[in-house]
Amino acid sequence: PSQKKKKVILFIDEFSNYLDGTIAEDAVFLLQALGYEVETITGLDSGRALISKGFLKEAKEYANRNVTKLKNIVSPEIPLLGIEPSAILGFRDEYLRLADDAEAAKGISKNCFLVEEFLASEMKLGVISTERFTSEEKKIKIHIHCHQKSLSNQKVTFDILNFPKNFTPTIIPSGCCGMAGSFGYEKEYYDISMKMGELKLFPAVRNASTETIIAANGTSCRHQIKDGTSREALHPITILRNALVIPQ
């Protein structure tokens, strides 16, 4: 579009950079197609893996580096958006206690959002039109990342996937997928991880028709769904990118 709406900073976290690069590309494409000026930030590790394993001294170094890098460019007018919930929500939660520059960390935290939070807000304000998306009928089942359940809310993901006129999303009433960060990757916890998935998530995915889209915004959640059900889950941003109607 010739007229830009606003500028956003897109944090390309370590998972999106090295494991799910196509999702990062989808996020940039979607935001730009909807009229936003996108500046990408790459090369910064969120420190999530260190935090999850208790290496807080090392994680503090990452937090300080990231806060220093972003404190002068993130603002209410230029928000920081993230793709992977566990990575971006560290800015909102742990960084407030880890970073030496507490005021700068607080400022970033207030202007830091999941990309779904940002889009849901813009859609509610009427900035984004439903006409930008397909009118095809799609059924979607959504599994929400635990960090989002804890520090944000599930409704934002539901709302953006409910935005295209004939999309019908439902949220799977699941707890943790069972992966719990790297827990499910570890041999000694694999069986427990699978049992957690079998409580709600796996049966719901297996019972969905092959035409139903499975949505999951966590990289470990998508891996767990693939491992437990052989179904490919898509990030909500990829679903919206695929639903875009590009003006001729």
Side-chain angles (χ1 to χ4, degrees):
S2 58
Q3 186 175 4
K4 299 292 183 182
K5 293 185 173 75
K6 66 165 64 174
K7 182 176 179 178
V8 297
I9 308 283
L10 184 65
F11 177 59
I12 309 297
D13 59 85
E14 60 273 23
F15 305 102
S16 301
N17 195 32
Y18 295 109
L19 302 175
D20 293 312
T22 57
I23 298 174
E25 292 174 357
D26 290 340
V28 172
F29 187 96
L30 175 66
L31 289 165
Q32 289 181 336
L34 293 175
Y36 299 96
E37 181 184 350
V38 182
E39 178 182 344
T40 57
I41 296 291
T42 60
L44 294 182
D45 189 309
S46 72
R48 171 54 57 195
L50 293 168
I51 293 170
S52 70
K53 287 300 183 181
F55 293 99
L56 299 185
K57 181 179 178 181
E58 292 83 356
K60 183 181 180 70
E61 296 177 11
Y62 283 83
N64 283 332
R65 183 185 65 181
N66 295 346
V67 168
T68 299
K69 172 74 173 180
L70 295 170
K71 66 180 181 180
N72 293 321
I73 57 176
V74 174
S75 69
E77 293 74 31
I78 306 177
L80 178 68
L81 309 184
I83 299 165
E84 172 63 31
S86 65
I88 193 64
L89 290 174
F91 287 91
R92 190 180 293 178
D93 185 25
E94 290 95 344
Y95 281 26
L96 295 175
R97 296 181 293 280
L98 288 173
D100 290 326
D101 191 339
E103 282 303 309
K106 188 175 180 180
I108 295 171
S109 175
K110 289 180 178 179
N111 299 294
C112 159
F113 305 96
L114 290 168
V115 67
E116 293 105 301
E117 290 177 316
F118 174 76
L119 289 174
S121 175
E122 295 287 280
M123 289 170 177
K124 187 175 181 180
L125 290 171
V127 178
I128 300 171
S129 169
T130 56
E131 300 303 319
R132 293 306 316 276
F133 299 99
T134 181
S135 59
E136 292 180 26
E137 294 184 4
K138 299 285 185 183
K139 290 186 178 180
I140 306 168
K141 285 190 174 291
I142 309 167
H143 171 73
I144 300 292
H145 194 287
C146 288
H147 272 89
Q148 181 175 344
K149 292 172 183 173
S150 176
L151 296 171
S152 175
N153 66 73
Q154 303 184 70
K155 189 175 183 296
V156 292
T157 300
F158 175 88
D159 285 348
I160 68 168
L161 293 178
N162 194 46
F163 192 70
K165 292 177 181 177
N166 294 313
F167 277 23
T168 307
T170 55
I171 294 176
I172 300 170
S174 50
C176 179
C177 70
M179 191 64 82
S182 65
F183 179 87
Y185 287 112
E186 298 171 18
K187 183 178 180 180
E188 60 267 40
Y189 304 126
Y190 180 77
D191 289 342
I192 296 173
S193 174
M194 287 292 105
K195 288 177 181 177
M196 291 171 69
E198 291 290 355
L199 291 174
K200 288 280 186 179
L201 177 59
F202 293 169
V205 172
R206 292 192 196 105
N207 290 334
S209 69
T210 54
E211 292 78 23
T212 299
I213 299 170
I214 307 300
N217 60 357
T219 184
S220 57
C221 305
R222 292 189 297 274
H223 289 190
Q224 182 79 328
I225 290 169
K226 174 71 172 178
D227 197 28
T229 70
S230 298
R231 289 286 298 269
E232 295 282 352
L234 300 179
H235 195 289
I237 293 307
T238 297
I239 296 170
L240 282 189
R241 188 235 163 115
N242 293 340
L244 272 173
V245 174
I246 306 298
Q248 298 299 317

